[in-house]
Amino acid sequence: MADKLIIFDTTLRDGEQSPGASMTKDEKIRIAKQLERMKVDVIEAGFAAASPGDFESIKAIASIIKDSTICSLSRANDHDIARAAEALQAAERKRIHTFIATSPLHMEKKLRMTPDQVLEQAIQAVRYARNFTDDIEFSPEDGSRSDMDFLCRVLEAVIKEGATTINFADTVGYAVPELYGNMLKSLRERIPNSDKVVWSVHCHNDLGMAVANSLAGVMIGGARQIECTINGLGERAGNTALEEIVMAVRTRKDYFDLQLGIDISQIVPASKLVSQITGFAVQPNKAVVGANAFAHASGIHQDGILKARDTYEIMRAEDVGWSANKLVLGKLSGRNAFKQRLEELGIALESETEVNAAFARFKELADRKSDIFDEDILALVSDEEHAHNNDAFHYVSLSQRSETGELPYAKVVFTSDGKEVTCEGNGNGPVDAIVNAIDSKVQSGAELLLFSVNAITTGTQSQGEVTMRLSRAGRIVNGVGADPDIVVASAKAYLSALNKLQSKTEKLNPQI
Ligand code: KIV
Ligand code: ZN
């Protein structure tokens, strides 16, 4: 019988460390439900001690999710571990993931601790975590740049103390597949009690090798858990992409010969959900989940596909959940059909009032756009959720004028703490004009780091989804807005980003 490969998703923790990707509790719950639907084995729901928001999100996810193990990260100290345990209390299956840096550079320069002190702290942390659960993961941070003799000492000691998973972290994406796999192999061979634990890989993508390193960790090193994120989300160049790992192991079962519990039909819906919530667009040529991943443009390929599909296709788009542009609802669809589609998409609005509000927005959209797709519904619900939290600013309306040879002009109406505000502005283009108009009242002092527009579906009728990334005083946030009119979508995205900058509940800095 083939070994099981455990899929540990850290989109909600390491993925969230991407600048601007921080998510609200409701958004995290939606993603956690999708991960459960996809049958992910372990969901790292956050880092309980990082902020009250993180704590509350983990607590909510722990009480809602039944089929996946819920995990919280914690530094190797009693306070963090106790917070993690408290947040995880309601979980049917819980894991505490504790870590401490083991590389000479991190120990000396960051922790200012001697190796013996780090060893002692690692032992104490695992011992303390055992008071709360038997499922304990230990990560030597910057493991791939650590001294092998020292790693052996630390890992043998924490296994003796009761750690059940050892996660060999390539924190800065420095590893090279063969070397990384061999390091792990050597650790397993040298540590006398290595057979008592599951070995795990956790790779960052700084050199574009996170997936290759993870798979080498499995094949050469004998790891049986991979830590990954949807769309490879994560700080800097991101983490190992879940969809690539799962499809590689499945498509090349002849080579990997491992069992996976994942429902692959949920991969594309998960990718779209994460991209839409975080505002991190998926590049078109991204493996498995990119818009072009299954598009054959050249004549030779098209001819081959028509004759025999497997001439140029190693996976089937529909198997991973591409049901592109499936027409789901239209102008004449009723409230029940809408509610049923929400349920099918795994969206549980809390009250009938919320369903009514979302349905009213759906009707508005259906008046402007005849065909409504799943992606439109996801965007609409997201807008609705934004409208429900305690945001300062809400978009009301705008008018805009641009003509060749004239400076574009915009008039925007929005509410600020419930009061209607009207503002006007000019700019280099229509989007610049609306940003200047809003800023003439809000004076945000923020710098715009990124502006991107993506069509949610295909065709010129598609809604545009705009992401605006703002930075102020070292804090980076992403705002997302969707509308068939991309200038309106831009105004919504800008106001959404300003709301996040203002929010006191958002984490100041999700980095560890
Ligand atoms: O990259 C890293 O080292 C981490 C650890 C906390 C596992 O994310
Ligand atoms: Zn990491």
Side-chain angles (χ1 to χ4, degrees), residues 13-14 73 97 99 139 141-142 167 169 171 202 204 227 512:
R13 197 280 296 172
D14 217 340
L73 185 69
H97 175 191
F99 74 98
S139 292
E141 192 194 8
D142 206 17
N167 180 44
T171 305
H202 177 108
H204 282 264
E227 303 203 349
I512 50 176

Side-chain angles (χ1 to χ4, degrees), residues 10 13-14 17 44 73-74 97-100 106 137-143 167-172 202-204 227 235-236 239 512:
T10 183
R13 197 280 296 172
D14 217 340
Q17 287 179 208
E44 188 162 54
L73 185 69
S74 69
H97 175 191
T98 187
F99 74 98
I100 189 162
H106 277 227
E137 177 168 325
F138 175 82
S139 292
E141 192 194 8
D142 206 17
N167 180 44
F168 186 39
D170 181 32
T171 305
V172 292
H202 177 108
C203 299
H204 282 264
E227 303 203 349
E235 62 187 312
R236 309 187 310 277
N239 285 66
I512 50 176

Side-chain angles (χ1 to χ4, degrees), residues 5-11 34-35 38-43 203 210-211 214-215 226-233 239-250 260 262-264 266-268 270-271 274 286-289:
L5 181 64
I6 298 167
I7 298 296
F8 176 115
D9 181 279
T10 183
T11 306
Q34 178 60 25
L35 295 174
M38 198 162 62
K39 302 194 187 334
V40 156
D41 301 288
V42 185
I43 299 174
C203 299
V211 169
S214 300
L215 293 174
I226 295 189
E227 303 203 349
C228 45
T229 59
I230 304 292
N231 300 335
L233 188 70
N239 285 66
T240 301
L242 178 146
E243 59 280 1
E244 294 179 20
I245 289 293
V246 167
M247 291 317 290
V249 170
R250 206 184 125 105
L260 281 170
I262 299 293
D263 175 354
I264 61 167
Q266 295 301 324
I267 286 180
V268 170
S271 162
V274 169
K286 166 87 176 61
V288 186
V289 293

Side-chain angles (χ1 to χ4, degrees), residues 86-100:
E86 199 185 336
L88 290 170
Q89 220 157 27
E92 277 184 17
R93 272 171 287 158
K94 59 181 102 150
R95 174 178 297 185
I96 294 177
H97 175 191
T98 187
F99 74 98
I100 189 162

Side-chain angles (χ1 to χ4, degrees), residues 375-387:
E375 291 83 350
D376 292 313
I377 297 177
L378 287 173
L380 183 144
V381 169
S382 202
D383 261 12
E384 196 54 35
E385 277 179 356
H386 290 148

Side-chain angles (χ1 to χ4, degrees), residues 439-495:
D439 250 8
S440 71
K441 296 289 179 192
V442 176
Q443 277 130 20
S444 69
E447 186 191 350
L448 182 66
L449 299 183
L450 173 119
F451 168 70
S452 82
V453 190
N454 275 292
I456 288 185
T457 52
T458 53
T460 50
Q461 261 215 358
S462 166
Q463 290 198 81
E465 186 172 75
V466 171
T467 301
M468 291 219 190
R469 185 174 303 159
L470 299 185
S471 153
R472 188 174 66 197
R475 183 152 177 224
I476 298 175
V477 295
N478 276 345
V480 183
D483 197 274
D485 179 334
I486 57 169
V487 181
V488 172
S490 304
K492 288 181 178 175
Y494 191 59
L495 290 170

